[in-house]
Amino acid sequence: MGRLVRVRCDAAVAEKAAGEEAAAEEKFEYQAEVSRLMDLIVHSLYSHKEVFLRELVSNASDALDKLRFLGVTDSSLLADGGELEIRIKSDPDAGAITITDTGIGMTKDELKDCLGTIAQSGTSKFLKALKENKDLGTDNGLIGQFGVGFYSAFLVAEKVVVSTKSPKSDKQYVWEAAADSSSYVIKEETDPEKMLTRGTQITLVLRPDDKFEFADPGRIQGLVKNYSQFVSFPIYTWQEKSRNVEVEEDEETKEGEEATEGEQKKTKKTITEKYWDWELANETKPIWMRSPKEIEKTEYNEFYKKAFNEFLDPLAYTHFTTEGEVEFRSVLYIPGMAPLSNEEIMNPKTKNIRLYVKRVFISDDFDGELFPRYLSFVKGVVDSNDLPLNVSREILQESRIVRIMRKRLVRKTFDMIEEIAENDDKEDYKKFWESFGKFIKLGCIEDTGNHKRLAPLLRFHTSKNEGDMISLDQYIENMPENQKAIYYIATDSLQSAKTAPFLEKLVQKDIEVLYLVEPIDEVAIQNLQTYKEKKFVDISKEDLELGDEDEDNKESKQEYTLLCDWVKQQLGEKVAKVQISKRLSSSPCVLVSGKFGWSANMERLMKAQTLGDTSSLEFMRGRRIFEINPDHPIVKDLNAACKNEPDSTEAKRAVELLYETALISSGYTPDSPAELGGKIYEMMTIALGGRWGRSDAEAEATTSEASAEADSSEVRVTEVIEPSEVRPESDPWRD
């Protein structure tokens, strides 16, 4: 047990020094483990000092529960003890806190066992007795962990005094210990003014550094409301209050008037008077402990607003009890609006789920233990009597029970969302999707195990439904029988999607296409891969199969083989290959990405990443395929040029311009936008020369000059001409 250190009680020494007759007292040594544990508690076990009040209130609640249970069979235990309640009084001047309960109390032997031995608990022994004697019943819900929780008092106290009176004993005993001592004192209480009818009173003499914070009555009130708001017994705190009081005072005599003796006028005045009184701190009742059949919707909404400081009603709620190998009660809510900050979407640590054990608040700081990140918008409470917590009750341990709890909470959340989706009022789900659609898409990326429940919740704009969003089930329902895939296009906006050249042939064939216009959409769909055995197909990638391969297409391929080779020769390494397109009807050409590389949309997103890796950009970009439309006049002209004048400078320039224009229309970014602009201006000059009344000579000169500039392969340097200092007489800006 280690070396015993004899430490005499300061109070006893003072009494003897004063020559007073000291009450009989005994000094005991802690178990060696307890001494080490106290040091561990103060320095590392608890992450917040404020939890000491939660632990001591929980112990008081356990003592009251135990008394109420035993009082069912022995009514004498409840006699002359007053109401079952907890009272907390703080004294800022003395730097002390007193916590009093009217519970079961402790005898002298129980004091030694419970407070002098590590992890011993009077309530845990009570549970053991219940299990051994089946006649008494087995109400496990009354049992707490008294032993370790009590020592949390030394987080803030330099001395702790426990005065307790048990109905089983005629005497009241006092347990006293200092924070840095290896021993404690037990004595009989002899002061008539300190006698208790029944229960326990714990007095904490606070450390100098802590008394300014924790001796404040307002701080005590806040801690009770945060941690112990739903304890089933009333908790009163000693608070300063004010009231308006009418008082009489002598009316002042006006100047020049003499007051007649005995006729002094009295006036009434209202003043604000300060006073101290007990105030109930836990008025809110735990709604999850009641039967759902007894609770109105307005009660759920009021609880939600009060518990989570919200001003909008929730979109939906669910109240359930889970039994079996894991038992817990829960009320979950879907908020009426999305988080205002994007950080809340990406941050796995949210304070939306409040964990309780036996109605005592434990924590709201989780890192994905109870809910996955993509459901972090869900708010609610979870209350369990047997959660696997560590000794400080603050950290959930990774265990099978926690995994089961998480699975059931997620399942209930999906049920709640599906209920909104199936509701006749479609506006409710529209509000949900506008607020939390990004979260559901994030789930498609992070939670492969729940794809079957996530995919039906997705909503998209399509080529046939640009106004209203539809589900994947509605898309499949509208599909022709011969359609084998779900087609989509990913762009940066709805307008870009509607005008993309990739859509032309699909719209002509009345095939519906999903519009993916948010950055997360494409990644989410790629993670799903299939839905109801239908593959997702990106119409901006090569090898698009529309099921219409016929003889005409084969003939076109053969006829334009020479043109494809010639165009590839002009473009060189800019494209992997040139081929006849199956997706175009009105555009002359389009640039599609390779099957296994990034799409144009994904390439744009990767370039925009602040911390993106430029070296991987080139690797993942993939190859680009240049597809041409054999029915377009420009392509027919180029086909003729390829056969008749393959070395024509204008034809080669047209191919270059066609490629760079296809870059933009296909969603890519040209390497040199300024150079592309210059080529377009040159073509416009040639096309528009003299059309609206310019002289023929000027038009011909301008056209010749533009052609000469286009033929020149030298890099042109813009000449900067300084403004003239000579100003004519007619200059309107002249001074």
Side-chain angles (χ1 to χ4, degrees):
M1 296 295 291
R3 184 171 62 87
L4 302 182
V5 180
R6 304 283 179 178
V7 178
R8 306 190 67 187
C9 175
D10 293 341
V13 172
E15 287 174 357
K16 289 180 180 180
E20 297 178 0
E21 184 177 352
E25 63 179 39
E26 295 181 65
K27 180 170 61 62
F28 301 91
E29 297 293 329
Y30 286 119
Q31 281 188 348
E33 292 85 352
V34 174
S35 184
R36 289 197 296 269
L37 175 67
M38 287 172 60
D39 181 69
L40 183 65
I41 286 173
V42 172
H43 293 102
S44 58
L45 188 59
Y46 289 93
S47 54
H48 303 289
K49 284 184 176 183
E50 64 189 34
V51 299
F52 80 92
L53 193 63
R54 177 193 73 189
E55 297 295 330
L56 296 180
V57 170
S58 298
N59 293 342
S61 175
D62 289 341
L64 290 164
D65 258 329
K66 183 174 177 181
L67 177 66
R68 184 170 59 180
F69 183 85
L70 292 174
V72 174
T73 55
D74 187 357
S75 57
S76 64
L77 295 175
L78 296 170
D80 303 326
E83 297 293 328
L84 299 180
E85 63 185 17
I86 302 169
R87 292 183 182 266
I88 306 172
K89 187 173 185 178
S90 57
D91 187 345
D93 296 330
I97 302 173
T98 303
I99 302 164
T100 307
D101 69 73
T102 55
I104 191 63
M106 287 177 280
T107 63
K108 182 178 179 181
D109 290 338
E110 287 172 340
L111 270 176
K112 287 191 292 183
D113 288 343
C114 295
L115 304 188
T117 309
I118 186 171
Q120 283 291 324
S121 170
T123 49
S124 63
K125 286 188 175 180
F126 176 60
L127 173 62
K128 185 178 179 182
L130 286 179
K131 289 182 177 178
E132 292 174 354
N133 187 351
K134 294 182 181 178
D135 295 336
L136 291 177
T138 54
D139 189 355
N140 299 13
L142 309 181
I143 308 308
Q145 294 293 329
F146 187 88
V148 173
F150 168 76
Y151 298 124
S152 66
F154 290 103
L155 286 167
V156 296
E158 59 183 8
K159 186 172 77 171
V160 177
V161 180
V162 180
S163 184
T164 182
K165 170 69 169 64
S166 170
K168 302 174 187 177
S169 173
D170 296 331
K171 296 180 180 180
Q172 181 173 324
Y173 292 95
V174 178
W175 181 98
E176 186 174 328
D180 55 354
S181 174
S182 63
S183 64
Y184 58 92
V185 169
I186 296 179
K187 64 180 179 181
E188 183 182 340
E189 182 61 77
T190 56
D191 188 346
E193 295 183 0
K194 296 182 179 179
M195 288 305 221
L196 302 172
T197 308
R198 181 191 68 231
T200 301
Q201 184 178 81
I202 301 177
T203 302
L204 310 181
V205 180
L206 300 175
R207 300 173 188 269
D209 293 342
D210 296 315
K211 67 180 181 181
F212 296 105
E213 178 183 0
F214 295 110
D216 176 37
R219 177 72 163 136
I220 294 297
Q221 178 91 334
L223 290 177
V224 171
K225 285 184 176 295
N226 186 41
Y227 287 104
S228 307
Q229 186 178 20
F230 302 110
V231 168
S232 54
F233 298 98
I235 303 174
Y236 296 93
T237 59
W238 189 247
Q239 298 293 320
E240 185 181 32
K241 300 184 177 183
S242 60
R243 60 190 171 196
N244 294 328
V245 180
E246 283 190 350
V247 295
E248 289 186 346
E249 62 178 13
D250 295 337
E251 185 177 352
E252 293 183 5
T253 305
K254 294 182 180 179
E255 191 175 340
E257 293 184 5
E258 293 185 6
T260 308
E261 189 176 347
E263 293 183 1
Q264 185 73 36
K265 293 182 180 180
K266 301 286 186 181
T267 58
K268 289 186 177 181
K269 184 180 179 181
T270 302
I271 62 171
T272 302
E273 180 184 72
K274 300 285 187 180
Y275 69 101
W276 289 85
D277 198 3
W278 294 105
E279 182 177 314
L280 183 64
N282 57 336
E283 295 176 310
T284 308
K285 302 300 179 185
I287 198 171
W288 63 86
M289 300 301 294
R290 296 162 56 190
S291 170
K293 296 177 182 177
E294 303 172 356
I295 309 173
E296 299 292 333
K297 182 179 180 179
T298 53
E299 291 183 81
Y300 282 113
N301 292 350
E302 286 172 10
F303 175 81
Y304 166 75
K305 291 177 181 177
K306 192 169 184 179
F308 298 100
N309 296 320
E310 291 284 342
F311 60 93
L312 291 177
D313 287 339
L315 285 177
Y317 63 85
T318 180
H319 181 186
F320 61 94
T321 301
T322 301
E323 297 178 346
E325 55 186 328
V326 179
E327 295 184 9
F328 64 91
R329 295 171 180 265
S330 182
V331 180
L332 301 177
Y333 295 92
I334 293 178
M337 64 181 292
L340 297 177
S341 170
N342 285 332
E343 291 181 8
E344 293 185 42
I345 299 178
M346 292 297 104
N347 187 4
K349 289 189 176 183
T350 66
K351 295 186 178 295
N352 291 340
I353 299 298
R354 297 172 62 87
L355 175 66
Y356 292 81
V357 172
K358 296 195 303 179
R359 302 177 302 283
V360 175
F361 174 65
I362 299 301
S363 179
D364 59 3
D365 188 9
F366 300 111
D367 192 5
E369 292 95 342
L370 288 179
F371 265 92
R373 180 170 67 152
Y374 68 90
L375 291 180
S376 59
F377 63 89
V378 177
K379 298 187 176 185
V381 296
V382 179
D383 188 359
S384 175
N385 287 354
D386 52 1
L387 264 181
L389 303 174
N390 71 352
V391 73
S392 70
R393 301 192 188 191
E394 293 177 329
I395 304 168
L396 278 175
Q397 300 299 298
E398 182 60 34
S399 70
R400 187 176 57 87
I401 294 178
V402 175
R403 288 195 295 271
I404 294 171
M405 281 187 67
R406 173 187 164 119
K407 190 175 181 180
R408 292 184 182 176
L409 288 169
V410 169
R411 188 177 66 197
K412 286 292 183 179
T413 301
F414 278 132
D415 291 342
M416 186 166 44
I417 298 173
E418 286 166 4
E419 190 174 333
I420 303 176
E422 294 167 4
N423 197 345
D424 294 334
D425 187 358
K426 300 302 179 186
E427 284 299 314
D428 285 346
Y429 194 76
K430 187 177 180 181
K431 289 179 187 175
F432 169 82
W433 185 255
E434 288 174 355
S435 297
F436 307 110
K438 288 185 177 71
F439 289 86
I440 301 301
K441 294 169 186 175
L442 181 63
C444 295
I445 299 170
E446 294 188 342
D447 191 355
T448 55
N450 278 310
H451 275 177
K452 288 185 178 179
R453 302 204 70 171
L454 285 162
L457 301 176
L458 297 173
R459 296 293 183 270
F460 300 97
H461 292 288
T462 71
S463 55
K464 292 184 179 180
N465 293 274
E466 295 175 6
D468 296 327
M469 305 182 86
I470 68 168
S471 66
L472 293 176
D473 287 319
Q474 289 172 293
Y475 179 95
I476 291 177
E477 193 177 320
N478 298 334
M479 280 172 49
E481 291 184 9
N482 61 343
Q483 186 175 330
K484 305 297 183 186
I486 299 173
Y487 297 104
Y488 71 87
I489 181 171
T491 62
D492 59 346
S493 69
L494 201 57
Q495 184 62 30
S496 298
K498 289 190 289 187
T499 56
F502 307 102
L503 280 172
E504 293 172 359
K505 188 58 76 71
L506 287 95
V507 171
Q508 197 178 65
K509 289 179 169 292
D510 199 34
I511 296 175
E512 194 168 14
V513 179
L514 302 178
Y515 292 159
L516 310 186
V517 295
E518 292 188 349
I520 196 174
D521 288 354
E522 187 174 0
V523 184
I525 288 296
Q526 287 173 352
N527 275 269
L528 284 179
Q529 295 184 344
T530 63
Y531 182 69
K532 293 188 175 178
E533 300 180 356
K534 304 284 186 183
K535 282 188 176 182
F536 289 99
V537 174
D538 186 349
I539 64 171
S540 70
K541 291 197 171 186
E542 66 173 322
D543 296 339
L544 178 66
E545 297 293 338
L546 299 176
D548 60 347
E549 187 73 20
D550 52 27
E551 292 299 323
D552 291 339
N553 283 337
K554 291 179 180 178
E555 289 178 7
S556 295
K557 281 185 179 180
Q558 292 174 357
E559 183 182 350
Y560 284 87
T561 300
L562 182 62
L563 173 63
C564 292
D565 293 341
W566 181 70
V567 172
K568 172 67 175 80
Q569 185 180 1
Q570 307 310 316
L571 297 179
E573 296 300 320
K574 293 179 180 178
V575 296
K577 65 179 178 179
V578 180
Q579 62 187 26
I580 300 299
S581 178
K582 295 183 290 183
R583 69 191 91 212
L584 297 175
S585 61
S586 58
S587 298
C589 60
V590 73
L591 203 63
V592 302
S593 53
K595 206 169 189 178
F596 303 105
W598 282 337
S599 65
N601 182 64
M602 187 60 67
E603 187 175 318
R604 176 180 59 82
L605 293 174
M606 290 300 108
K607 282 182 178 179
Q609 296 300 310
T610 306
L611 302 176
D613 184 5
T614 54
S615 60
S616 66
L617 185 65
E618 193 65 32
F619 174 75
M620 284 301 296
R621 187 167 74 172
R623 59 183 196 158
R624 296 170 179 174
I625 294 98
F626 192 53
E627 293 189 355
I628 57 176
N629 178 8
D631 299 323
H632 198 279
I634 294 177
V635 175
K636 289 181 178 179
D637 286 340
L638 287 177
N639 189 34
C642 151
K643 292 177 180 177
N644 302 325
E645 289 186 60
D647 297 325
S648 168
T649 305
E650 289 186 0
K652 291 179 180 179
R653 192 164 69 246
V655 170
E656 285 284 343
L657 187 59
L658 201 63
Y659 166 75
E660 293 189 17
T661 308
L663 268 178
I664 297 173
S665 65
S666 302
Y668 293 99
T669 304
D671 295 332
S672 176
E675 188 177 337
L676 171 61
K679 291 177 181 177
I680 294 174
Y681 297 151
E682 290 165 9
M683 297 294 287
M684 289 177 67
T685 303
I686 295 170
L688 300 179
R691 178 169 295 185
W692 293 290
R694 233 181 349 150
S695 65
D696 293 341
E698 284 181 351
E700 287 177 8
T702 306
T703 304
S704 302
E705 186 180 337
S707 300
E709 287 180 358
D711 291 340
S712 175
S713 59
E714 295 180 1
V715 178
R716 291 170 296 173
V717 180
T718 304
E719 182 182 358
V720 179
I721 302 175
E722 296 295 336
S724 173
E725 291 297 326
V726 180
R727 290 179 291 184
E729 292 292 333
S730 60
D731 186 359
W733 302 104
R734 191 178 186 87
D735 296 332

